[in-house]
Amino acid sequence: MSTKVRTADTRERILTAACEVIADIGFEKIRMRMVAERAGVSTALLHYHFDTREKLFTEAMTHSFANTALDVERDAETVPTAVVLARILRNLLPTDPELHQDWRLWQELWVRALRDETTRVFAVDLYAQLHGWVSDAIRRGIASGEFTPTDVDDLSTLVLSLSDGYGIRLMLRDPTVTLDSALTSIWRHVSTALGLPAAVPTQ
């Protein structure tokens, strides 16, 4: 294994461990040694890659989002765009244990962004990436003729807002909201705007 590959593998393990630890105990309680122990590396090696908790946190958030996007877009060129868009919607909600962990990270980000300007700017940028993820899929569908033309930015903002709202209720285990009802409600707005069938694609 080359040095470059070993370095990439180490960073991957550290970032995965950081996501787990931050989700478990919260950013304010995290200590670098906790992440090092979870990743199976020395504290010195951890500091070599990430010299501050803040840098580790932002990299962990970016890592989490990138992995989610990669999974959703794995076959975007060969399946209907409606399927890809439905996958995105599912991944914007805490639909499985991994996404539940991602949501805990987002909640940590929101709290920290209210108190720290650097984190606020980072959060705004990360939301811009989410907005781009949704809007790119919508634009692809419009360009291919699968979707009825609409105000893409407006619909993307609505999707993110609804996902945040339902996601919070789901994370709180609100008995009046289920994953199915949340996804169905969001898709109803999307399908109406884009001229799609009312049923959420399941592929």
Side-chain angles (χ1 to χ4, degrees):
M1 184 183 295
S2 68
T3 300
K4 184 176 181 180
V5 171
R6 284 198 302 272
T7 299
D9 179 68
T10 299
R11 285 180 64 88
E12 174 78 18
R13 284 191 290 128
I14 290 172
L15 290 171
T16 298
C19 289
E20 293 172 357
V21 175
I22 294 168
D24 285 347
I25 67 172
F27 176 76
E28 297 305 327
K29 294 181 179 179
I30 197 174
R31 298 294 179 268
M32 297 292 264
R33 64 173 175 75
M34 297 175 182
V35 177
E37 290 172 1
R38 182 75 65 97
V41 302
S42 67
T43 304
L45 184 56
L46 174 60
H47 278 285
Y48 171 78
H49 288 280
F50 305 98
D51 53 359
T52 66
R53 286 193 316 155
E54 288 72 19
K55 183 176 181 181
L56 179 60
F57 179 60
T58 56
E59 290 279 352
M61 289 294 306
T62 302
H63 172 77
S64 173
F65 170 61
N67 281 350
T68 299
L70 184 64
D71 178 62
V72 169
E73 299 283 350
R74 63 188 180 277
D75 55 359
E77 300 302 319
T78 59
V79 300
T81 311
V83 170
V84 175
L85 186 56
R87 287 178 187 167
I88 290 174
L89 298 187
R90 289 188 179 91
N91 278 269
L92 289 173
L93 295 170
T95 51
D96 61 33
E98 185 175 343
L99 290 166
H100 193 276
Q101 175 180 286
D102 289 348
W103 258 87
R104 291 175 72 92
L105 293 177
W106 274 98
Q107 290 173 312
E108 291 293 323
L109 178 68
W110 292 335
V111 171
R112 184 160 178 76
L114 294 175
R115 301 187 177 97
D116 179 76
E117 177 61 17
T118 300
T119 306
R120 185 195 67 77
V121 173
F122 171 71
V124 170
D125 180 67
L126 205 53
Y127 261 107
Q129 293 181 51
L130 282 175
H131 189 279
W133 190 33
V134 175
S135 61
D136 285 350
I138 295 172
R139 288 192 177 94
R140 286 203 305 270
I142 293 174
S144 68
E146 294 176 62
F147 299 167
T148 300
T150 191
D151 186 324
V152 176
D153 287 332
D154 185 66
L155 181 58
S156 300
T157 298
L158 178 63
V159 165
L160 293 181
S161 298
L162 290 171
S163 298
D164 280 349
Y166 279 116
I168 290 171
R169 302 277 292 279
L170 290 167
M171 291 296 289
L172 293 173
R173 298 193 298 277
D174 185 331
T176 66
V177 179
T178 67
L179 282 170
D180 285 342
S181 68
L183 185 59
T184 298
S185 178
I186 297 170
W187 185 257
R188 183 169 61 250
H189 292 279
V190 170
S191 61
T192 298
L194 300 177
L196 297 171
V200 184
T202 57
Q203 294 184 44

